[in-house]
Amino acid sequence: MKNKIIAWGLAALAGIILALILLIHLNIILPTKDHLNVKFTTSIDDYGDFRGFRGFSNLDVFPEKLLKSAQNIDFYYNDDSSPIFDDSCQVYLKCSYNKSDYQKEIQRLNSIKEQYQEMEQKTWVDNDNFKFPAVVAIYNNNHCYEYALLNENEFSIIYVFLQFIYKEDVVFDNNFLPNNYVNPDKVIDTSTEGQSIYLFPISNGDKHGTFGKWLEVEK
């Protein structure tokens, strides 16, 4: 009887191993590069090309293209997604403008809105949760943040989008993070979860997301 139990156990183990091999071969468990979406650049020439971006955002805070007066530019873009794990994205732009363009950018940031059916949601000003005055589109919602930090003394703006990014993996100065930044491994109380202009309440407590613009561009 003992030998039969051992035999059954070995047979079951062999079956599990064969199943894992098959799943890997089919790229279900460990997808190949063809099944991953990894985009990374720090080149200013690539700015504005967010085709295929998979974050829970339309990156509304970021300007569609760099203004002519923009200088001292620092840019970073990394969108890493797969069929298995949560997508992690990090987009960062820092630049300074002349006074006129700086004021135009502030007006644009304050006028950003997302619409769904008859509902409308706008960016908001936050003077409490950052070390600089901020215009915010997402704050601690599903481990995502999207905002612009304003430095009127230098006429500079820092644009940030983070999704499932650990504090130690942030590429820019941590002083540009929210004062109470939450790492992805911390469980969020959904009853007190932050806001996103891209999420609209619908029936049964669910929410409709208006993000996905850049995926549509890719198609």
Side-chain angles (χ1 to χ4, degrees), residues 23-73:
L23 290 172
I24 292 172
H25 178 71
L26 294 174
N27 298 312
I28 295 175
I29 288 183
L30 296 176
T32 63
K33 290 182 179 179
D34 292 336
H35 291 75
L36 291 172
N37 177 56
V38 181
K39 294 189 176 182
F40 168 76
T41 182
T42 58
S43 172
I44 302 302
D45 293 336
D46 293 329
Y47 183 79
D49 183 6
F50 300 123
R51 288 174 295 178
F53 172 76
R54 297 174 182 271
F56 302 140
S57 162
N58 288 327
L59 300 179
D60 287 351
V61 162
F62 291 78
E64 288 188 11
K65 59 182 180 179
L66 296 174
L67 300 178
K68 290 184 178 180
S69 72
Q71 56 184 340
N72 303 318
I73 302 169

Side-chain angles (χ1 to χ4, degrees), residues 79-101:
D79 181 9
D80 187 353
S81 59
S82 79
I84 305 301
F85 305 105
D86 291 322
D87 299 347
S88 61
C89 309
Q90 184 169 186
V91 190
Y92 170 75
L93 172 68
K94 180 182 179 182
C95 55
S96 56
Y97 302 99
N98 60 34
K99 185 175 181 180
S100 175
D101 281 348

